[in-house]
């Protein structure tokens, strides 16, 4: 070890690492030593000669004064071309570089004129960002100031054209390196939320397009620098990656009781920086667009997203009519819209949601549970939205148990993410499997809670998780039967893969053990199969290989076959039409006069709409279309025919606070029945604006099938599809075009997925012939998959 390296490590010390605020003092001392040593080398290289127009400058961590004990030196020999010849400057540079190499210091060096600095910065984005920190070390300070001011001027002047390049570069780097906050062996420099992102923040502010957050962000940066310094001291190398082998030693040096506490703090700091750089980059892009020349005043471009939210400059923002103070469900509504649209909630909106929305009542109302399932099923858009909600403190208000797993590391070679990020990655993976199960909402709940038991002191996280999940589900208001299923899934989420990989998948005893784990339920087995794959694939490639997947599929299929012979009711409640109907005098009078009889009952934000009308072809489609046209989301429905009357029960919720008006529904149904289609005009406008129902993130094709043994008098068709605006109307129109009569329909929507069962007959009664049934199924699939 050279004297210079020893001196740098001595300056870093070891006793002061755990002292609050010592990091800045340590790094300041290292920078002063580096500058002093380089100035001494400069004097030796000059050998008494005065070099006008030549200077030594630093960039990178040395220039910023935040280098670590063994950080490399990034140096630039800057000169005016007339001050020194090319041959002389090369020889002079060698006199500077070789002593640095001989001292064992890593060196990144270059020799450039002021014009060269300007040219390199214009061609190379990373060089431009680095040269913004250009700092004089020795020699003619004027030449360094000239280079720095020229590069800074060009950076500001060309910000509008270079900002897109910077955004692309940041996105690509984050995709390669991942999120520092959620990685077990993170690269502190290059990962999302790492040290490199602070350079991005400084570069954005240098462009004069936006300011950056301070306070918490600066504190987070210092904490990550402290960890970087500890890595240098522990390993004796200038590394930026915190490996598992070094975590215990770094934690001890920094004064933590164990490595988990160190990783939790590191994750929290990285999340703060990541959120800051993402938001600052968005605002810089917005500011860049605002500078574009335009004729007339610039008005905000607000595109409606539903639920009182609007898209504005790539973010979801609350509209002026939002009633934050009285509606505890607004944060869920806003989150669903943003995640479904694949955009983040704006920082101001998040702040207002956290500060002004009242607590959710316990248990949650049904509309809140539905929206929570929709949010979880939103797909990849969930990740950014959930992160914003979590940092704002909203997630903890919904699920207090989340605090214990936030930023919690998993010191397991299989896992690549912290506990909380793994849970969300599992939810995203599970959202792609919702078509494989009859209750996607239960799959989503199990996915977000399956590792909630990975808390300090837990010996069996599956058992602990089952207890915590039960508490969460009771607070949310999940019914007893569904709660038992989700708790079982959380408790048994490792059972399928363990049995498949450690036991003979075809042994009857193995099959029996798996059957006991799912309580003999084929539908629960389907849920466990989907959860197993989602959990393993979210953990990483080591957890879900082709070999593991094959063994799991063999055991699942063997157990599914064994359970398929056992009777079980799956999906929504399906009942035959009632035989008699008792109606009030008012209802009889209205129906006799040709008007539908409509009543509305509201409960906890959801609305039950009962409609009794003379049965006719297309009534189901017209009713579904009118409800969609008024902006209501159908959660469930039972449509039946009794004594020539259509007796329909619809459960809906509203993107806003509107309550369905019986008189309006009755009037519009009457108009549509008479041939006036104008009440359906709003539906076409909603479709044209691209608004979709919550949770419609999946793009899987529709699944429709005939359930042959479900009825002796009708053909029963089950449809599983992604919900969207007007879907039920489209299916109803398709059945009418196929000249089929809907004797009854049983509609259910779970986590943005419809599970609908239709009892259809030929006009006049009678089951469909096999060819007719196949044709109807094909038509329904084509209709549902149409965009």
């Amino acid at each position: 070890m050279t004297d210079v390296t020893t001196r740098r490590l001595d300056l870093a010390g070891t006793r002061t690492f755990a002292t609050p605020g010592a990091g800045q003092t340590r790094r300041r001392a290292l920078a002063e030593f580096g500058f002093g040593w380089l100035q001494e080398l400069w004097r030796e290289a000059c050998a008494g000669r005065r070099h006008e127009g030549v200077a030594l400058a630093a960039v990178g961590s040395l220039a910023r004064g935040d280098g670590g004990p063994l950080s490399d030196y990034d140096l630039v020999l800057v000169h005016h071309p007339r001050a020194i010849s090319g041959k002389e400057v090369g020889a002079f540079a060698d006199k500077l570089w070789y002593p640095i190499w001989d001292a064992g210091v890593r060196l990144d060096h270059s020799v450039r004129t002021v014009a060269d600095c300007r040219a390199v910065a214009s061609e190379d984005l990373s060089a431009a960002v680095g040269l913004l920190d250009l700092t004089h070390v020795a020699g003619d300070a004027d030449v360094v100031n000239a280079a720095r001011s020229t590069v800074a001027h060009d950076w500001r002047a060309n910000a509008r054209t270079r900002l897109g390049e910077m955004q692309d570069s940041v996105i690509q780097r984050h995709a390669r390196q991942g999120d520092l906050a959620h990685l077990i062996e993170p690269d502190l420099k290059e990962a999302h939320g790492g040290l490199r992102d602070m350079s991005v923040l400084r570069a954005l502010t240098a462009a004069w397009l936006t300011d950056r957050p301070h306070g918490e962000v600066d504190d987070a940066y210092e904490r990550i620098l402290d960890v970087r310094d500890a890595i240098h001291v522990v390993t004796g190398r200038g590394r930026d990656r915190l490996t598992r082998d070094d975590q215990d030693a770094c934690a001890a040096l920094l004064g933590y009781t164990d490595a988990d506490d160190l990783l939790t703090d590191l994750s929290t700091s990285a999340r703060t920086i990541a959120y800051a750089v993402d938001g600052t980059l968005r605002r810089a892009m917005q500011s860049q667009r605002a500078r574009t020349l335009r004729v007339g005043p610039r008005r905000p471009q607000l595109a409606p997203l539903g639920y009182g939210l609007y898209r504005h400059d790539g973010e979801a923002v609350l509209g002026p009519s939002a009633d934050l103070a009285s509606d505890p469900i607004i944060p869920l509504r806003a989150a669903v819209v943003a995640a479904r649209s694949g955009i983040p909630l704006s920082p101001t909106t998040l702040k207002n949601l956290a500060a002004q929305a009242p607590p959710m009542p316990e248990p949650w109302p049904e509309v809140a549970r539905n929206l929570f399932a929709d949010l979880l099923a939103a797909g990849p858009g969930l990740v950014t939205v959930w992160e914003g909600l979590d940092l704002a403190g909203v997630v903890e208000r919904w699920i207090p148990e989340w605090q214990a797993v936030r930023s919690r590391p998993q010191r397991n070679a299989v896992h690549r993410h912290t506990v909380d990020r793994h849970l969300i990655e599992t939810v995203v993976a599970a959202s792609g499997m919702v078509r494989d199960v009859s209750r996607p909402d239960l799959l989503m709940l199990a996915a977000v809670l399956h590792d909630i038991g990975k808390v300090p002191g837990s010996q069996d996280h599956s058992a602990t998780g089952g207890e915590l999940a039960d508490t969460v589900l009771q607070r949310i208001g999940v019914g007893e039967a569904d709660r038992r299923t989700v708790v079982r899934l959380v408790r048994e989420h490792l059972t399928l893969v363990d049995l498949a990989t450690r036991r003979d998948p075809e042994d009857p005893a193995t099959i029996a053990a798996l059957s006991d784990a799912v309580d003999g339920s084929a539908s629960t087995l389907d849920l466990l199969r989907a959860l197993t794959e989602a959990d393993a694939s979210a953990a990483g490639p080591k957890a879900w290989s082709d070999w593991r997947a094959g063994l799991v599929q063999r055991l699942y299929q063997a157990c599914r076959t064994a359970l398929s012979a056992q009777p079980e009711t799956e999906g929504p409640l399906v009942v035959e039409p009632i035989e008699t109907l008792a109606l009030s005098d008012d209802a009889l009078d209205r129906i006799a006069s040709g008007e539908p009889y409509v009543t509305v009952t509201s409960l906890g934000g959801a609305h039950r709409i009962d409609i009794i009308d003379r049965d006719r072809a297309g009534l189901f489609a017209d009713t579904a279309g009118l409800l969609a046209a008024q902006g209501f989301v159908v959660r469930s429905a039972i449509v039946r025919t009794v004594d020539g009357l259509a007796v329909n029960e619809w459960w809906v919720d509203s993107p806003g606070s509107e309550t369905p008006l019986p008189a309006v529904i009755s009037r519009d149904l009457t108009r549509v029945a008479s041939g006036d289609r104008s009440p359906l005009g709003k539906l076409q406008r909603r479709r044209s604006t691209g608004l979709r129902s919550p949770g419609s993130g999946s793009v899987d094709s529709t699944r429709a099938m005939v359930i042959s043994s479900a009825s002796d008098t009708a053909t029963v068709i089950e449809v599983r599809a992604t919900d969207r605006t007007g879907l039920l109307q489209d299916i109803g129109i398709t059945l009418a075009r196929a000249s089929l009569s809907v004797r009854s329909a049983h509609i259910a929507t779970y986590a943005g997925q419809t599970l609908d069962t239709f009892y259809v007959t030929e006009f006049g009664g009678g089951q469909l012939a096999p060819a007719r049934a196949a044709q109807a199924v094909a038509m329904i699939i084509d209709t549902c998959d149409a965009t």
Side-chain angles (χ1 to χ4, degrees):
M1 186 177 295
T2 66
D3 291 340
V4 172
T5 300
T6 301
R7 177 61 177 154
R8 294 172 76 186
L9 289 173
D10 287 344
L11 286 170
T14 55
R15 296 181 181 179
T16 62
F17 265 80
T19 304
Q24 289 183 336
T25 302
R26 176 176 61 251
R27 287 183 283 274
R28 191 180 304 115
L30 287 168
E32 290 174 355
F33 168 78
F35 274 68
W37 179 54
L38 291 171
Q39 289 163 358
E40 181 181 343
L41 294 180
W42 174 269
R43 288 190 292 271
E44 293 175 357
C46 289
R49 294 180 56 189
R50 185 178 178 85
H51 289 285
E52 296 291 342
V54 185
L56 181 64
V59 294
S61 61
L62 178 61
R64 296 188 300 270
D66 59 14
L70 297 179
S71 292
D72 56 353
Y73 285 173
D74 294 331
L75 303 176
V76 184
L77 185 61
V78 190
H79 65 97
H80 287 305
R82 295 181 181 180
I84 187 171
S85 68
K87 183 177 181 180
E88 288 178 321
V89 75
F92 184 61
D94 288 342
K95 293 180 180 180
L96 290 171
W97 308 151
Y98 276 100
I100 298 174
W101 287 324
D102 291 342
V105 176
R106 293 186 304 168
L107 175 65
D108 187 359
H109 62 89
S110 61
V111 179
R112 291 177 179 142
T113 65
V114 173
D116 290 337
C117 291
R118 187 176 192 181
V120 168
S122 67
E123 296 173 0
D124 188 324
L125 178 66
S126 61
V129 173
L131 286 169
L132 291 173
D133 293 325
L134 193 69
T135 301
H136 173 260
V137 176
D140 189 345
D142 289 341
V143 69
V144 177
N145 293 335
R148 178 168 179 164
S149 62
T150 300
V151 170
H153 175 272
D154 289 349
W155 179 251
R156 292 190 296 271
N158 299 318
R160 188 171 64 86
T161 57
R162 304 211 69 174
L163 198 53
E165 181 186 2
M166 169 169 275
Q167 184 182 45
D168 291 342
S169 174
V170 169
I171 291 173
Q172 292 171 11
R173 173 168 56 83
H174 292 169
R176 288 194 308 269
Q177 300 294 338
D179 286 298
L180 192 160
H182 305 295
L183 295 172
I184 305 304
E185 292 189 316
D187 186 318
L188 304 188
K189 186 175 183 179
E190 302 293 342
H192 187 197
L195 303 176
R196 180 78 72 188
D197 280 341
M198 283 298 291
S199 296
V200 173
L201 287 174
R202 284 187 288 265
L204 290 173
T205 56
W208 292 359
L209 291 175
T210 183
D211 193 10
R212 71 169 182 86
H214 296 273
E216 290 185 357
V217 174
D218 294 325
D219 293 341
Y221 183 57
E222 292 297 326
R223 283 193 292 271
I224 297 177
L225 288 174
D226 286 345
V227 178
R228 189 274 319 270
D229 293 353
I231 295 174
H232 289 191
V233 172
V234 165
T235 65
R237 299 179 181 179
R239 300 191 320 197
D240 298 311
R241 185 176 295 278
L242 179 60
T243 65
R244 285 183 174 86
D245 293 340
D246 302 323
Q247 289 169 4
D248 288 332
C250 287
L253 182 61
L254 290 165
Y256 289 95
T257 55
D258 59 38
D260 283 358
D261 290 341
L262 162 63
L263 293 173
T264 298
D265 262 9
L266 180 62
S267 175
T268 301
S269 300
R271 294 175 74 171
T272 301
I273 293 178
Y275 191 73
V277 75
D278 292 347
T280 303
L281 190 55
R282 280 197 308 274
R283 286 186 290 278
M285 295 295 292
Q286 294 164 8
S287 176
Q288 180 251 79
R289 287 191 291 270
R291 289 186 174 191
T292 303
L293 291 177
R294 64 180 68 238
V295 178
R298 183 178 187 269
R299 296 182 177 88
Q301 300 297 310
L302 299 176
L305 297 171
Y307 290 130
L309 271 286
Y310 296 85
R311 182 194 295 269
H312 175 58
D313 279 336
E315 296 176 336
V317 299
L318 279 170
S321 61
D323 185 9
L324 285 174
S326 62
D327 187 359
I329 302 176
I330 277 189
L332 273 172
R333 298 186 191 279
V336 167
V337 167
R340 189 177 76 213
S341 303
I343 57 177
L345 289 162
S346 76
T348 301
T349 294
L350 280 168
K351 182 179 179 180
N352 290 336
L353 290 173
Q356 300 181 37
M360 193 81 74
E362 296 182 14
W364 290 12
E366 182 178 3
V367 65
R369 291 196 299 275
N370 290 332
L371 286 168
F372 189 60
D374 290 340
L375 173 62
L376 296 179
L382 170 68
V383 176
T384 300
V385 172
W386 189 275
E387 181 73 2
L389 292 167
D390 196 11
L391 288 173
V394 176
V395 170
E396 188 177 328
R397 289 172 59 184
W398 293 340
I399 309 174
E401 294 77 7
W402 192 263
Q403 182 181 13
V405 297
R406 182 189 294 116
S407 301
R408 193 73 190 166
Q410 302 190 81
R411 305 186 74 186
N412 183 315
V414 170
H415 281 280
R416 56 184 174 180
H417 295 125
T418 54
V419 177
D420 57 336
R421 181 55 179 267
H422 170 70
L423 288 171
I424 296 305
E425 291 289 341
T426 301
V427 170
V428 173
S431 70
M433 306 176 196
V434 290
R435 207 64 55 76
D436 300 331
V437 298
S438 61
R439 288 296 301 275
D441 56 329
L442 302 187
L443 174 61
M444 294 296 101
L445 289 172
V448 80
L449 296 173
H450 77 280
D451 274 351
I452 200 71
K454 286 187 173 179
V455 295
S458 173
Q459 300 299 316
D460 183 350
H461 79 273
S462 297
T464 302
E467 297 174 359
L468 292 173
D470 191 54
T471 301
V472 173
L473 296 170
Q474 288 188 57
R475 184 185 306 115
I476 293 176
V478 177
E480 184 177 354
D482 289 345
R483 191 171 73 247
R484 285 199 304 267
T485 298
V486 176
V487 169
R488 181 177 291 275
L489 290 170
V490 171
R491 196 171 58 241
E492 304 290 348
H493 73 272
L494 297 175
T495 299
L496 175 54
V497 70
D498 284 348
L499 288 174
T501 55
R502 299 177 182 179
R503 305 258 295 267
D504 181 355
E506 297 178 358
D507 190 318
T510 306
I511 297 171
L514 179 57
S515 178
D516 289 343
V518 298
D519 197 29
S521 167
S523 61
T524 303
L525 177 63
D526 293 342
L527 290 166
L528 181 60
R529 166 66 181 81
L531 177 61
T532 299
E533 180 174 348
D535 180 21
S537 59
K542 294 181 180 179
W544 192 245
S545 62
D546 291 342
W547 170 74
R548 282 176 176 263
L551 291 177
V552 165
Q553 182 62 24
R554 283 175 60 192
L555 177 55
Y556 161 75
Q557 197 58 57
C559 189
R560 192 64 165 81
T561 300
L563 293 175
S564 61
Q566 303 177 16
E568 180 180 6
T569 300
E570 299 187 18
L573 178 63
V574 178
V575 295
E576 289 292 338
I578 59 178
E579 297 297 332
T580 60
L581 180 65
L583 297 177
S584 66
D585 292 339
D586 183 34
L588 290 172
D589 290 343
R590 285 182 177 272
I591 296 170
S593 66
E595 296 181 10
Y597 178 71
V598 181
T599 60
V600 174
T601 305
S602 298
L603 179 64
H607 312 284
R608 171 176 169 168
I609 305 174
D610 289 287
I611 302 173
I612 304 176
D613 197 2
R614 294 181 184 275
D615 193 23
R616 60 176 175 82
L619 176 60
F620 170 79
D622 290 343
T623 306
L626 287 171
L627 293 175
Q630 295 184 30
F632 299 115
V633 178
V634 176
R635 293 298 182 178
S636 64
I638 299 178
V639 177
R640 299 167 291 185
T641 303
V642 183
D643 299 331
L645 295 178
V647 183
N648 302 339
E649 174 188 314
W650 300 81
W651 282 91
V652 304
D653 61 46
S654 170
S657 58
E658 300 88 354
T659 299
L661 299 176
V664 173
I665 296 173
S666 178
R667 180 199 64 198
D668 288 349
L669 280 173
T670 302
R671 291 173 62 186
V672 171
S674 66
D676 180 4
R677 311 298 290 180
S678 59
L680 295 169
K682 289 183 180 179
L683 176 57
Q684 301 307 318
R685 288 193 291 273
R686 288 180 183 275
R687 285 173 165 166
S688 66
T689 58
L691 296 181
R692 304 175 68 188
S693 296
S696 54
S698 175
V699 295
D700 291 342
S701 59
T702 299
R703 299 183 185 180
M705 66 192 77
V706 174
I707 310 299
S708 58
S709 59
S711 175
D712 295 330
T713 57
T715 298
V716 181
I717 300 176
E718 182 183 274
V719 182
R720 298 185 185 185
T722 299
D723 194 19
R724 58 175 169 80
T725 301
L727 176 63
L728 287 176
Q729 185 202 35
D730 291 343
I731 295 176
I733 291 174
T734 298
L735 293 174
R737 286 176 177 171
S739 300
L740 299 179
S741 176
V742 180
R743 193 178 76 183
S744 68
H746 310 271
I747 311 302
T749 304
Y750 302 112
Q753 300 295 310
T754 65
L755 179 54
D756 304 335
T757 306
F758 298 93
Y759 284 68
V760 298
T761 65
E762 300 285 5
F763 281 133
Q767 291 181 308
L768 278 59
R772 285 272 286 156
Q775 180 188 36
V777 167
M779 292 175 67
I780 290 172
I781 291 175
D782 290 343
T783 296
C784 293
D785 288 343
T787 56

